[in-house]
Amino acid sequence: MADSLTVPPALTGEFAFFFDLDGTLAEIKPHPDQVVLPADILRVLHQLSGMSQGALALISGRSMAELDELARPYRFPLAGVHGAERRDIHDNAHIVSLPSTLIQTLTAQLTSALERLPGTELEAKGMAFALHYRQAPQHEAAITALAESVVAANPQLALQPGKCVVEIKPKGINKGEAIKAFMTEAPFAGKTPVFVGDDLTDESGFSVVNQAGGVSIKVGQGETCAAWRLANVASVWEWVTEVANQQQQEKIAHNNRRKHDGSLSRSL
């Protein structure tokens, strides 16, 4: 879709919320360890989670351990490493793993290859590998070729391009499948899904949400299958705050109607 997609409206009704983190809820930094989630935004997410009976999850390429650290003191349902690891509302973990021998081989191979590409960085996630080149964009072609060669030699793996990163992950794992899994479970089931993301890795999530008649929101410019667009992280913060306030007002109005109806029935 074109860059002219409009800002999404405030939402009323029963929704299940899914948020990417880097580039969506938090500004992208030169190094992942520099990223933070502002306390005000965490409180808004906690409020929105409460308004939706807990139907709010973070969906990210980061590990669940990293997501938990960034979300402190709150604990949300999570899908980490693009869905290769997932934690539901009951704290049950669902993990996709690779053979330990393959992990060891790939770690050694990729470490050696990236040492010859100064400024690049390998992030080993256990069941996936992220090849970062944000500090060395001149190595994009070499990083892509390296990742493609690894996937070609290992049919159980797949390639996932992102912003200044190429990831190698188990085949069949993506954010869309993670959202599908959440939507089969309480408290997400039966609600309308909402997904906000900024990267190529989020397109599978947008597609799943579109098919479910939900609200898909792309952050920033670029082609996308999302139906709505927000300009940047600051716009996401503003919109999420508006949605949380709208949900709160809707709940108050609903409770007031119930009180009024109860008083009316007693008087009759």
Side-chain angles (χ1 to χ4, degrees):
M1 293 186 181
D3 287 343
S4 60
L5 293 174
T6 55
V7 173
L11 303 176
T12 58
E14 293 289 320
F15 291 92
F17 295 93
F18 302 96
F19 293 96
D20 174 47
L21 196 138
D22 296 85
T24 299
L25 290 175
E27 298 284 359
I28 292 176
K29 299 294 183 180
H31 195 276
D33 290 345
Q34 299 171 329
V35 171
V36 295
L37 274 173
D40 287 350
I41 297 307
L42 282 172
R43 284 193 291 270
V44 170
L45 292 176
H46 180 64
Q47 176 189 351
L48 191 58
S49 175
M51 293 298 99
S52 58
Q53 300 80 47
L56 185 149
L58 303 180
I59 312 283
S60 174
R62 288 178 179 266
S63 69
M64 293 199 301
E66 289 178 294
L67 293 173
D68 269 336
E69 188 63 32
L70 285 164
R72 287 183 186 276
Y74 307 111
R75 187 174 174 87
F76 301 110
L78 304 173
V81 196
H82 307 288
E85 52 181 19
R86 191 174 67 87
R87 185 179 71 214
D88 62 29
I89 193 72
H90 302 296
D91 267 355
N92 297 316
H94 310 265
I95 309 294
V96 175
S97 61
L98 293 173
S100 58
T101 53
L102 178 60
I103 293 173
Q104 294 169 5
T105 299
L106 291 181
T107 300
Q109 177 186 347
L110 294 170
T111 299
S112 176
L114 265 60
E115 285 175 351
R116 300 190 292 271
L117 301 171
T120 63
E121 182 180 353
L122 174 65
E123 182 185 1
K125 301 181 179 182
M127 74 291 287
F129 300 87
L131 284 58
H132 296 275
Y133 57 90
R134 183 172 298 278
Q135 306 305 312
Q138 69 272 21
H139 293 314
E140 177 180 3
I143 287 287
T144 301
L146 171 62
E148 288 175 343
S149 69
V150 169
V151 170
N154 298 276
Q156 69 270 54
L157 301 177
L159 203 64
Q160 178 62 70
K163 291 181 178 177
C164 296
V165 63
V166 178
E167 300 204 38
I168 300 168
K169 62 181 183 178
K171 184 174 289 186
I173 296 299
N174 59 60
K175 293 182 181 180
E177 292 301 315
I179 291 173
K180 279 185 183 179
F182 276 121
M183 291 302 296
T184 66
E185 306 166 347
F188 300 89
K191 294 181 170 66
T192 301
V194 178
F195 180 46
V196 190
D198 74 304
D199 206 346
L200 291 172
T201 63
D202 301 310
E203 292 296 319
S204 62
F206 296 149
S207 179
V208 165
V209 168
N210 290 344
Q211 291 170 16
V215 180
S216 56
I217 305 169
K218 162 81 170 180
V219 181
Q221 299 302 301
E223 290 295 313
T224 182
C225 67
W228 306 90
R229 192 184 300 276
L230 289 165
N232 48 38
V233 172
S235 299
V236 174
W237 293 347
E238 182 179 348
W239 181 79
V240 170
T241 302
E242 180 183 358
V243 170
N245 290 337
Q246 181 67 35
Q247 294 278 306
Q248 179 70 37
Q249 292 169 12
E250 186 177 341
K251 182 177 181 180
I252 292 172
H254 175 72
N255 289 340
N256 287 340
R257 286 194 299 270
R258 289 183 61 186
K259 289 178 182 178
H260 174 75
D261 293 343
S263 298
L264 181 61
S265 64
R266 286 193 296 272
S267 66
L268 292 175

